[in-house]
Amino acid sequence: EKNKHLSIHPLHDRFRRTIEVLLGMIDGTLHHHSELNTILEKHAATKTMPSTSTKQTTTTTKITRPALYSTTGISFWGGIDPLTGTVIDQTHPLVNQCITNKILCIPSGRGSCTGSQVMLELILNGKGPRALVLRDVDSILCTGAIVAEEFFFGDYDNDDDDDDGGECQTSQKMTLSSSSSSVPIICAVGEEVFMRLVQDSSDSLTIIKTTEEGAGEDDYDNNIYIQSSSSSSSSIGGNGEMITITKDLLKLKDTLPESRSVNDDNGVGDDLKSPSSSSSLPSEAELLAMRTIRRVASISGAKELIPITSAHIDAVTYIGPGGLEFAQRLVELGGKVKVKTTLNSQSCDRRRWKELGVTASLARNANSVGDAYLELGCEGTSFTCAPYLLPSRPKKGENIIWGESNAVVYSNSVIGARTEKYADYFDICAAIVGCVPNVGVHVEENRAPTIVIDATELIQDHLLPSFLMRGGNTTTKSTGNDDTTTTTTRTFMFQHGFDSFFPAMGWTCGNLSEGGIPLILGFDCLPVGTVSDDNLKAFCAAFGTTGSAPLFHMANITPEAMGDDRISEMLLSFDGRRVEVTKKDLCESYKTLDSGRGDSDDIALVALGNPHLSVEELVILSKLIDNDDRSKHETVRVIATLGRHIQSKGDELGLTQKLESFGVQFINDTCWCMLLEPPIIPSNPKSAILTNSGKYAHYGPGLTNRRVRFGSMYDCVEAAKSGRVESGANESIGSGGSLPQWLGRSFSTRRLVRSIKYIK
């Protein structure tokens, strides 16, 4: 009353709810204080507000749990064991911590789209966190929880004769270790509150969740209050003060219109809440998929849906029984995809699993997941983590839905197609419905860079001088369709190990981007032919492990950042952060990726093809093997994964036969991130695996519990012949490792170029 000159009445309901919660904390129940209501109604009398006389039902959930904090996002897939809830990402600050029944405070997820699958399995196994307090909204983690509610704990079975008390038929097939109460509370609090929480790092947090039904149109009926257990904290107010009010991301109101609103220039679209424009009704699978899409869309505040031209399904990986039941349920309910749909790598080679030593139980489960997606209408010969190598590759500007983090980053950045980093399960739902929310990088203005990462000085002072000193082509501008120069440059680059620069830089730029879309400067300083599609593939895969953005721009390399005028326009309109990549940054990244260095340089396995190999990589691999007449070392296995389409091309060119004669073993349908058990990986836990993949070097140690070394394709071939990783680089990084030659001493590029020209 004393401050009634202030315009507080639009918030009167929130004030009233806050005081009710505080009263409820005192005596354990929520009160409707009549005098308080009278005062607040007096302030609201002249405004159109929800009536306080409306019958309301208020429920309150209060939880206090131990809290874990990190300012580094974590990929739930490859980062958390779904059977135990333990953090297994060896590069993460929370490694070996258990998140089960705790409040996990992280900026967001990162990396793999399969985080939603791991979230589902954690929930079904009763091993998930009790709450997730995020800095940023993360629809991937939310999708896993939404699928748990809709498919496993929700009443979506419309058979009137089936009185199962609200549980779906799926739960009758599975033995669940959990109930709907194991679905975590998920909220996002923003940068300021998140940092205050981290700085305080209270041993435990209290979360109070209130839900008020019948509160009218205003969205004040789903509140989350977060309270610290610290009694002496100055950073958040101390004495257990309530520090924020936010929303449970799983309980948001639907932001889409009642009918399916599809923004389609051709007028295509139908209503999935009523009979479709065709003569037949939508299937139960289509209705359930649409309900899932609507819930995920509300997290981003989407107002409309847009049609897609193609889909790539990441959820075909077998993570646990929950994902299998999900896919089979869609089949049972009559699901069929509406657009051309390819499949990501599954968990075993569908045709040769037995000869590869895969257990019958894993093969049965893995192939059952694949079979379910084939019944949904997906293409049967895809099964690749590199769908951009298929003939069905999309075109610039097309709206698509692709899962698999490397493919998402590649399609947006290198092709210029448009897809968010969509969660597993959401991908197949969208393919069944044929549309996605019109949000994120589907929208032109959201594709603008939000951070500038400048690698110009690093490339000019380290990589380019090293390249020139070894006789590399110095031409930085195209002089036409000079395929010979380009091929020669690429072969030279692989022969001298420069290809490892790209995954190392991708991993670094993902870390430095802090969730934003970067404009990366400096790569156009490199000679023509250096920044090939394969090197961009390696960059994208590594960027996708540490970055959460689905897109980057590379000046004068990627299609949306071509030309000095376009780059200048981007920079002039940019008001975000600028960071410079230093030699120290790249050295630290290389050390992290080469985490398996130790007392022994011996190698038991060379792992190639993550992402799947291309035809050009088969050519380069063949040339590197032909450098001398040494044969493969008898103690080393060389295994490469690739899609069936590429293997067929390799067969036609005689490449695969030649490589097989050297001792290379090819695997289809799956990829290294799914090949987790002996005999494919070494049975000795002390054995070392060498890879040229930044993605596998990142995830491999946690997934396989083996030492993983990182190097170039040249390093991989040398190790295959000698049985060990060769040293001899310019600088040691300790513990049996060394930096590559291109990260040696600094040079002045300009002086070096003048000297070389003078000598010539």
Side-chain angles (χ1 to χ4, degrees):
E1 284 287 282
K2 187 166 66 176
N3 294 293
K4 62 184 178 182
H5 62 283
L6 299 175
S7 300
I8 65 167
H9 45 274
L11 295 175
H12 86 280
D13 196 41
R14 182 169 293 182
F15 291 156
R16 178 171 57 80
R17 295 294 305 122
T18 303
I19 295 174
E20 286 177 352
V21 170
L22 292 172
L23 290 171
M25 290 172 62
I26 294 170
D27 64 8
T29 60
L30 287 174
H31 293 271
H32 284 280
H33 196 291
S34 58
E35 183 178 358
L36 173 65
N37 281 334
T38 301
I39 294 171
L40 292 173
E41 286 173 2
K42 184 177 178 181
H43 278 291
T46 60
K47 297 291 180 182
T48 303
M49 299 292 293
S51 172
T52 55
S53 62
T54 303
K55 185 177 180 181
Q56 299 172 348
T57 302
T58 302
T59 58
T60 301
T61 303
K62 178 180 177 181
I63 60 169
T64 300
R65 296 288 189 278
L68 294 173
Y69 305 87
S70 178
T71 56
T72 303
I74 186 167
S75 172
F76 270 47
W77 181 86
I80 298 177
D81 186 337
L83 296 177
T84 66
T86 302
V87 177
I88 58 174
D89 181 350
Q90 301 297 306
T91 71
H92 199 274
L94 295 178
V95 63
N96 297 326
Q97 295 277 0
C98 182
I99 69 168
T100 301
N101 206 28
K102 294 177 182 176
I103 297 176
L104 179 61
C105 301
I106 54 175
S108 66
R110 68 175 185 179
S112 178
C113 304
T114 309
S116 51
Q117 286 212 60
V118 175
M119 174 63 82
L120 174 64
E121 300 298 334
L122 284 167
I123 292 170
L124 299 182
N125 293 331
K127 298 296 182 180
R130 187 61 190 90
L132 270 174
V133 178
L134 306 173
R135 181 191 65 193
D136 308 321
V137 171
D138 190 313
S139 61
I140 289 179
L141 298 180
C142 290
T143 298
I146 288 170
V147 167
E149 290 184 336
E150 292 289 343
F151 284 76
F152 294 87
F153 304 130
D155 183 15
Y156 67 86
D157 189 14
N158 294 325
D159 186 351
D160 293 337
D161 295 329
D162 182 19
D163 184 13
D164 59 6
E167 282 196 356
C168 64
Q169 290 183 0
T170 301
S171 62
Q172 296 172 7
K173 296 179 182 179
M174 292 179 58
T175 301
L176 299 181
S177 303
S178 60
S179 64
S180 58
S181 63
S182 63
V183 176
I185 295 170
I186 305 179
C187 62
V189 297
E191 174 78 24
E192 182 180 353
V193 171
F194 178 78
M195 291 310 300
R196 284 160 59 191
L197 280 169
V198 172
Q199 289 163 10
D200 184 63
S201 290
S202 169
D203 289 340
S204 65
L205 290 175
T206 296
I207 292 182
I208 300 174
K209 174 183 174 182
T210 66
T211 304
E212 189 171 289
E213 298 178 1
E217 294 299 320
D218 292 277
D219 193 15
Y220 295 152
D221 59 349
N222 164 27
N223 290 329
I224 298 289
Y225 301 81
I226 303 175
Q227 182 183 33
S228 169
S229 65
S230 173
S231 60
S232 59
S233 167
S234 60
S235 63
I236 63 169
N239 299 317
E241 180 183 344
M242 204 75 67
I243 64 168
T244 191
I245 302 175
T246 184
K247 300 291 182 184
D248 186 345
L249 295 176
L250 304 184
K251 305 298 179 185
L252 298 177
K253 290 187 175 180
D254 194 347
T255 58
L256 294 173
E258 275 298 301
S259 62
R260 174 173 130 182
S261 174
V262 180
N263 183 4
D264 185 351
D265 293 337
N266 297 320
V268 178
D270 50 54
D271 183 350
L272 288 181
K273 283 202 170 185
S274 61
S276 65
S277 55
S278 62
S279 58
S280 61
L281 292 171
S283 67
E284 291 184 59
E286 198 172 353
L287 293 170
L288 185 55
M290 189 62 189
R291 192 158 75 233
T292 302
I293 287 174
R294 297 182 77 94
R295 288 189 63 182
V296 176
S298 69
I299 295 171
S300 57
K303 302 298 182 184
E304 64 179 5
L305 302 175
I306 53 174
I308 53 175
T309 58
S310 68
H312 183 69
I313 307 304
D314 192 43
V316 71
T317 307
Y318 179 77
I319 302 298
L324 173 58
E325 291 288 349
F326 166 84
Q328 290 176 336
R329 183 61 177 171
L330 286 174
V331 173
E332 292 170 3
L333 295 177
K336 289 291 180 183
V337 298
K338 286 190 173 180
V339 295
K340 186 179 186 66
T341 303
T342 54
L343 293 170
N344 198 41
S345 302
Q346 65 161 55
S347 297
C348 72
D349 189 313
R350 289 178 63 81
R351 298 172 296 182
R352 294 175 291 178
W353 60 268
K354 188 175 293 186
E355 65 186 79
L356 293 171
V358 176
T359 63
S361 59
L362 174 58
R364 180 173 58 253
N365 288 328
N367 283 334
S368 294
V369 174
D371 291 343
Y373 282 100
L374 293 177
E375 288 190 63
L376 292 171
C378 303
E379 288 189 3
T381 58
S382 48
F383 290 108
T384 178
C385 57
Y388 38 81
L389 298 177
L390 295 172
S392 56
R393 168 175 167 146
K395 296 180 175 60
K396 181 182 177 182
E398 284 188 28
N399 285 302
I400 60 177
I401 179 166
W402 274 18
E404 166 56 42
S405 59
N406 99 82
V408 170
V409 176
Y410 190 99
S411 62
N412 275 305
S413 309
V414 181
I415 299 175
R418 301 188 172 195
T419 176
E420 281 286 270
K421 186 184 277 189
Y422 285 111
D424 289 14
Y425 304 138
F426 186 89
D427 49 12
I428 187 63
C429 289
I432 288 172
V433 172
C435 56
V436 294
N438 189 22
V439 295
V441 294
H442 289 286
V443 182
E444 179 66 33
E445 53 264 34
N446 294 341
R447 298 177 70 85
T450 58
I451 184 171
V452 170
I453 298 178
D454 194 346
T456 305
E457 187 173 326
L458 174 74
I459 290 173
Q460 289 183 341
D461 287 356
H462 295 284
L463 186 68
L464 190 54
S466 184
F467 194 87
L468 298 177
M469 285 287 285
R470 287 161 180 80
N473 188 294
T474 62
T475 304
T476 59
K477 298 293 183 182
S478 175
T479 57
N481 187 21
D482 193 350
D483 292 336
T484 302
T485 300
T486 297
T487 302
T488 302
T489 300
R490 291 177 185 173
T491 303
F492 172 88
M493 181 189 60
F494 278 96
Q495 292 278 11
H496 292 273
F498 288 100
D499 52 301
S500 61
F501 168 76
F502 290 90
M505 272 296 288
W507 197 91
T508 303
C509 291
N511 262 332
L512 293 176
S513 63
E514 295 184 348
I517 296 173
L519 170 61
I520 303 169
L521 307 178
F523 279 70
D524 52 345
C525 298
L526 293 169
V528 170
T530 306
V531 191
S532 65
D533 283 351
D534 288 312
N535 285 332
L536 286 172
K537 172 163 73 83
F539 184 99
C540 290
F543 179 90
T545 64
T546 55
S548 57
L551 165 69
F552 66 82
H553 301 288
M554 195 175 281
N556 284 317
I557 302 293
T558 56
E560 295 175 60
M562 292 299 294
D564 293 341
D565 290 344
R566 174 59 178 153
I567 297 165
S568 297
E569 179 186 339
M570 284 181 165
L571 293 173
L572 286 173
S573 62
F574 178 77
D575 59 359
R577 290 185 61 238
R578 297 178 67 109
V579 295
E580 183 176 337
V581 187
T582 65
K583 178 184 175 182
K584 181 180 178 181
D585 292 329
L586 200 52
C587 287
E588 290 299 319
S589 297
Y590 205 96
K591 291 182 205 178
T592 303
L593 292 172
D594 192 27
S595 62
R597 60 192 182 278
D599 296 334
S600 172
D601 289 331
D602 292 343
I603 295 297
L605 170 66
V606 172
L608 302 171
N610 190 350
H612 279 171
L613 292 178
S614 67
V615 171
E616 185 172 343
E617 285 175 307
L618 293 176
V619 172
I620 294 293
L621 183 59
S622 179
K623 288 181 178 180
L624 291 176
I625 289 173
D626 284 344
N627 277 343
D628 56 54
D629 57 2
R630 289 178 297 161
S631 59
K632 185 183 73 65
H633 195 278
E634 61 182 6
T635 64
V636 180
R637 296 181 72 193
V638 182
I639 301 178
T641 61
L642 73 172
R644 297 187 192 185
H645 174 72
I646 297 300
Q647 174 138 6
S648 295
K649 284 193 168 185
D651 292 344
E652 293 172 7
L653 297 172
L655 293 169
T656 52
Q657 296 90 329
K658 179 179 179 180
L659 292 170
E660 284 174 334
S661 67
F662 173 77
V664 178
Q665 187 175 10
F666 292 107
I667 296 179
N668 301 145
D669 303 332
T670 187
C671 196
W672 282 108
C673 290
M674 277 68 79
L675 298 171
L676 310 180
E677 301 291 340
I680 295 176
I681 67 166
S683 57
N684 184 352
K686 295 182 180 180
S687 296
I689 302 170
L690 175 63
T691 184
N692 65 335
S693 165
K695 178 177 180 178
Y696 189 51
H698 176 93
Y699 289 125
L703 290 171
T704 65
N705 198 29
R706 302 293 187 272
R707 292 192 299 123
V708 176
R709 302 296 306 273
F710 171 68
S712 65
M713 187 177 283
Y714 176 86
D715 295 330
C716 290
V717 172
E718 283 299 302
K721 292 181 176 183
S722 68
R724 54 188 293 135
V725 177
E726 298 295 336
S727 299
N730 290 323
E731 298 182 27
S732 172
I733 56 177
S735 302
S738 57
L739 293 173
Q741 294 182 6
W742 49 261
L743 260 180
R745 67 175 69 92
S746 300
F747 298 90
S748 167
T749 307
R750 193 169 298 171
R751 288 201 308 270
L752 181 64
V753 172
R754 282 204 305 264
S755 299
I756 291 174
K757 287 182 177 179
Y758 177 78
I759 292 169
K760 287 182 177 179

